Amino acid sequence: MLLGVVLCVGPGQSATAEEVNLYSARKEELIKPLLDKFTAKTGIKVNLVTGSADALLKRLETEGKNTPADMFVTTDAGRLHRAKAAGVLQAISSPVLEKNIPAEFRDAKGYWFGLSLRARPIMYAKGRLDPAELSTYEALADAKWKGRICVRSSENIYNQSLVASMIVANGEEATEKWAEGLVHNLARPPRGGDEDQIKAAAAGQCDITIANTYYLGGMLHSRDPSERAAAEKIAIFWPNQKDRGVHVNVSGAGVTRWAPHRDTAVKLLEYLITDEAQEWYAQVNNEYPAKPGIPESPALIKAWGRFKADTISLSQLGEYNAAAVKLMDRAGWK
Ligand code: FE
């Protein structure tokens, strides 16, 4: 009901004024300034509704043909794939998007497009192990790490997508064995988010974790001195640099199936992949641009160095999501 009020055409506004309605699972501060720039450039008004990814997807499904939403913005290719599978997105063909977003970061048929890149490397507590002892995700199942690893729950899409990438690389059987080994090495039952794992490692509850880099970046720049102090104790190790590369994922967006303003939604997507938008969008959340050739944040490069990324098509993370979830469950990954 509230939404209906917000989207009403106000007095003095023309009913034909161009606008676009966004459902975004990204926090307002990570996208709103960019939307304002888009409006300043094009005169197209953007109505932003933010919420949790699951709630917004549910809402799109419930609203069906009556949805006011033109675009769905969320994180993780696994979730974007879920939205596609739920039938709430439509295929978009745009030479601009196809030219500027590498094929592995978008749906082959144009149901969703990656807009920023995040990496999910190994992190470790400085001084409590020699990074030369680390090598790959696979090696975290080695018995030498017993009781030394923290990781969040298997209910989390980031871990599901990591495991899906390992199924693609190593097959289901080997990945299940790996998951059993990892679970065996956990210092404590999974609880909390990525930040909580980083804090646990900093506090000495474990030595190693797997987490998205922007969480560490956020902590390093936190106003809370205790968060900064915790982050200072943690270093990043880029795994699998001698084979497929570190697991990466995207935040992205798709045009909704029943979009009332389909063409303006495509315009907005095309704006989000411009050089100016890409640089800002990646830096504001300590992420990496999805578009090649855009300068990465100098601070990020300085802090963590460059890395080789796994180049599998991220659509596969969605395709193997169900297999990953079942496998993690069988392995006892809570
Ligand atoms: Fe996140």
Side-chain angles (χ1 to χ4, degrees):
M1 286 311 281
L2 251 180
L3 188 73
V5 174
V6 172
L7 298 180
C8 259
V9 176
Q13 267 181 291
S14 151
T16 57
E18 280 196 297
E19 63 177 355
V20 59
N21 301 324
L22 230 68
Y23 281 6
S24 170
R26 303 216 85 183
K27 288 193 206 99
E28 185 169 330
E29 66 263 30
L30 300 184
I31 193 163
K32 181 77 167 49
L34 215 46
L35 303 176
D36 290 343
K37 274 190 201 169
F38 173 73
T39 301
K41 259 197 158 84
T42 61
I44 298 169
K45 189 174 165 226
V46 185
N47 303 300
L48 176 65
V49 172
T50 56
S52 83
D54 292 342
L56 290 175
L57 177 55
K58 184 110 213 141
R59 186 161 165 179
L60 281 169
E61 288 184 77
T62 308
E63 289 171 343
K65 281 183 190 181
N66 299 317
T67 189
D70 299 301
M71 199 196 285
F72 179 48
V73 177
T74 189
T75 60
D76 204 289
R79 279 205 192 103
L80 289 158
H81 182 90
R82 216 171 265 172
K84 176 190 174 184
V88 300
L89 300 179
Q90 65 171 292
I92 291 298
S93 131
S94 152
V96 173
L97 296 174
E98 283 146 29
K99 176 172 167 266
N100 290 299
I101 305 174
E104 64 268 29
F105 301 151
R106 55 183 161 84
D107 178 74
K109 295 205 168 101
Y111 281 88
W112 55 263
F113 298 88
L115 296 171
S116 67
L117 202 62
R118 58 265 305 282
R120 190 163 182 76
I122 294 171
M123 298 186 190
Y124 65 94
K126 293 175 190 169
R128 288 215 303 278
L129 58 84
D130 179 352
E133 291 179 86
L134 294 167
S135 57
T136 59
Y137 296 110
E138 285 81 350
L140 293 180
D142 194 303
K144 78 173 169 181
W145 301 120
K146 184 155 172 45
R148 296 178 70 184
I149 302 176
C150 291
V151 74
R152 77 194 286 181
S153 159
S154 65
E155 282 171 23
N156 172 256
I157 189 87
Y158 302 153
N159 282 337
Q160 293 169 9
S161 286
L162 169 65
V163 170
S165 80
M166 294 182 73
I167 293 175
V168 174
N170 303 323
E172 222 172 298
E173 214 180 294
T175 305
E176 184 163 341
K177 277 213 181 77
W178 171 79
E180 284 168 7
L182 182 80
V183 168
H184 197 65
N185 287 342
L186 292 184
R188 58 175 200 176
R191 61 164 184 270
D194 279 8
E195 264 189 29
D196 298 298
Q197 316 311 314
I198 296 171
K199 286 174 187 169
Q205 290 166 24
C206 50
D207 297 335
I208 298 171
T209 186
I210 301 171
N212 288 356
T213 48
Y214 57 85
Y215 288 108
L216 185 62
M219 288 174 69
L220 282 168
H221 300 119
S222 170
R223 284 190 188 174
D224 178 348
S226 71
E227 286 207 344
R228 288 201 302 274
E232 293 291 351
K233 293 183 179 163
I234 303 298
I236 284 181
F237 180 84
W238 301 110
N240 298 77
Q241 295 301 284
K242 289 182 181 145
D243 48 71
R244 67 183 179 277
V246 66
H247 171 60
V248 296
N249 208 317
V250 287
S251 83
V255 176
T256 61
R257 180 171 177 191
W258 308 106
H261 314 93
R262 179 191 173 280
D263 294 349
T264 36
V266 174
K267 270 188 209 164
L268 176 55
L269 266 177
E270 291 177 350
Y271 172 72
L272 291 174
I273 205 69
T274 59
D275 290 10
E276 152 190 281
Q278 277 292 293
E279 203 169 336
W280 185 90
Y281 195 58
Q283 288 196 19
V284 69
N285 192 37
N286 297 296
E287 292 181 278
Y288 300 92
K291 180 180 182 176
I294 303 298
E296 293 167 3
S297 152
L300 279 196
I301 299 302
K302 188 162 172 266
W304 303 327
R306 294 184 185 279
F307 56 86
K308 176 183 173 186
D310 188 355
T311 56
I312 63 161
S313 167
L314 297 191
S315 296
Q316 293 192 276
L317 305 182
E319 285 154 23
Y320 285 94
N321 179 270
V325 170
K326 283 184 208 143
L327 175 162
M328 293 160 98
D329 189 50
R330 288 196 301 268
W333 189 333
K334 296 281 183 243

